[in-house]
Amino acid sequence: MAKVIVVTSGKGGVGKTTTSASMAAGMAMKGYKTVAIDFDVGLRNLDLIMGCERRVVYDLVNVVKGEATLRQALIRDKRNEQLYILPASQTRDKDALDLEGVGRVIEELKQMGFDYILCDSPAGIEKGAQLAMYYADEAIVVTNPEVSSVRDSDRILGLLDAKTERAALGLEPIKAHLLVTRYSPARAASGEMLSVTDILELLGIELLGAIPESKSVLNASNQGTPVVMEEQTDAGAAYMDVVKRFVGEEQPHRFLDDEKKGFFARLFSPTPRNAYAG
């Protein structure tokens, strides 16, 4: 039975698309047939992060409007045959999508045997975001450890409770998971950013994981590779931890605490070659 997941947040620039790409790729790496749908009509980015921008011929709007079939628009990843992307249109208006059309696409994807259908939501709380979340079974709420981002995430939780198919039918609410991105335990400990504990108290939802601040996220995105595929990096390892937790595997939380070295570890650890340059 396919599971529909929305990756969402109120605030832009918090890492939703990076998360959608890494969650989808990670699930495919675990053997699940997975598709990521880009709902950000007019501001298409998911195809860039997944490295298939030159292969886009048809998009989500073409399928909804009956201008192409779903099989024509789906792009299969060259690195993993279990991973697919349905890109957004870069030229259409956000009003090109409608609830009924999106529902037909979701249902057809279910019939095609996908295990996970990830909906990469645009920022904000307007129509595009509501379309992305409407048919969801579960939600990954992405937030940065700052007050404005957490406040906007709280508004999204309100929409998940009230503006979805499950709410309309009186079914069990969408299960929401918290993912904190660009997290630094050391900065949280010094009060420069909210701690994961602070965020959990404010939002009151289950913690899925924290992704550490890392240049590897930007580097991977620029190369068209979901960072989860770079498992030797902290960010890649953290995303794989999150994927494992989401699919039901036991995985202890890492990257939540400041792992300070003891005196002798600091004394005998080598100094980076350019640590004091400039």
Side-chain angles (χ1 to χ4, degrees):
M1 182 68 178
K3 184 171 289 186
V4 182
I5 306 151
V6 62
V7 180
T8 184
S9 75
K11 187 176 175 63
V14 299
K16 285 188 302 297
T17 301
T18 295
T19 295
S20 296
S22 280
M23 291 296 296
M27 289 167 171
M29 290 162 70
K30 297 293 292 179
Y32 298 99
K33 188 177 180 181
T34 306
V35 59
I37 308 174
D38 191 345
F39 275 84
D40 203 353
V41 176
L43 294 172
R44 186 173 79 204
N45 282 312
L46 185 61
D47 57 309
L48 288 171
I49 292 179
M50 297 187 77
C52 61
E53 68 277 6
R54 295 183 181 180
R55 299 171 60 203
V56 176
V57 178
Y58 297 108
D59 54 56
L60 174 61
V61 172
N62 292 137
V63 178
V64 168
K65 296 294 185 183
E67 300 162 352
T69 67
L70 185 55
R71 291 187 184 277
Q72 286 176 314
L74 282 173
I75 300 170
R76 186 154 79 172
D77 190 88
K78 291 183 177 181
R79 296 156 296 201
N80 190 314
E81 64 179 14
Q82 296 286 71
L83 178 61
Y84 294 76
I85 175 176
L86 180 56
S89 171
Q90 205 167 16
T91 58
R92 302 289 187 96
D93 185 84
K94 292 183 182 293
D95 292 329
L97 294 180
D98 62 82
L99 202 57
E100 184 180 349
V102 170
R104 288 197 305 270
V105 171
I106 297 283
E107 186 57 36
E108 189 173 348
L109 288 169
K110 290 180 178 180
Q111 296 302 318
M112 291 172 69
F114 281 96
D115 298 302
Y116 291 104
I117 301 167
L118 274 83
C119 302
D120 181 28
S121 173
I125 59 174
E126 303 305 325
K127 181 180 177 181
Q130 293 185 32
L131 286 172
M133 71 173 61
Y134 189 80
Y135 295 101
D137 300 307
E138 300 193 34
I140 298 174
V141 180
V142 184
T143 187
N144 289 162
E146 56 184 56
V147 173
S148 63
S149 181
V150 174
R151 181 179 62 185
D152 289 348
S153 294
D154 191 46
R155 295 183 70 189
I156 287 295
L157 291 174
L159 290 179
L160 289 170
D161 286 339
K163 299 289 186 179
T164 64
E165 183 181 49
R166 284 176 171 265
L169 297 176
L171 301 176
E172 185 178 346
I174 290 173
K175 183 177 181 180
H177 308 265
L178 174 66
L179 182 68
V180 183
T181 53
R182 298 183 185 138
Y183 189 66
S184 168
R187 292 178 62 196
S190 67
E192 293 179 47
M193 62 172 56
L194 295 175
S195 70
V196 166
T197 301
D198 295 332
I199 299 169
L200 288 171
E201 289 178 356
L202 290 166
L203 295 181
I205 58 176
E206 174 187 310
L207 177 66
L208 188 58
I211 310 300
E213 285 185 309
S214 175
K215 291 180 180 179
S216 61
V217 174
L218 180 60
N219 293 339
S221 296
N222 287 338
Q223 294 167 10
T225 303
V227 71
V228 74
M229 293 182 172
E230 306 285 345
E231 288 190 73
Q232 74 278 9
T233 67
D234 283 353
Y239 268 117
M240 185 52 76
D241 285 355
V242 166
V243 169
K244 290 176 180 178
R245 286 187 208 105
F246 194 89
V247 301
E249 295 182 21
E250 290 291 331
Q251 187 67 33
H253 284 279
R254 297 188 283 172
F255 312 108
L256 298 183
D257 300 312
D258 186 17
E259 298 178 359
K260 293 181 178 179
K261 293 181 178 179
F263 172 77
F264 288 104
R266 293 198 307 272
L267 183 64
F268 292 107
S269 62
T271 301
R273 183 181 298 273
N274 295 316
Y276 300 103

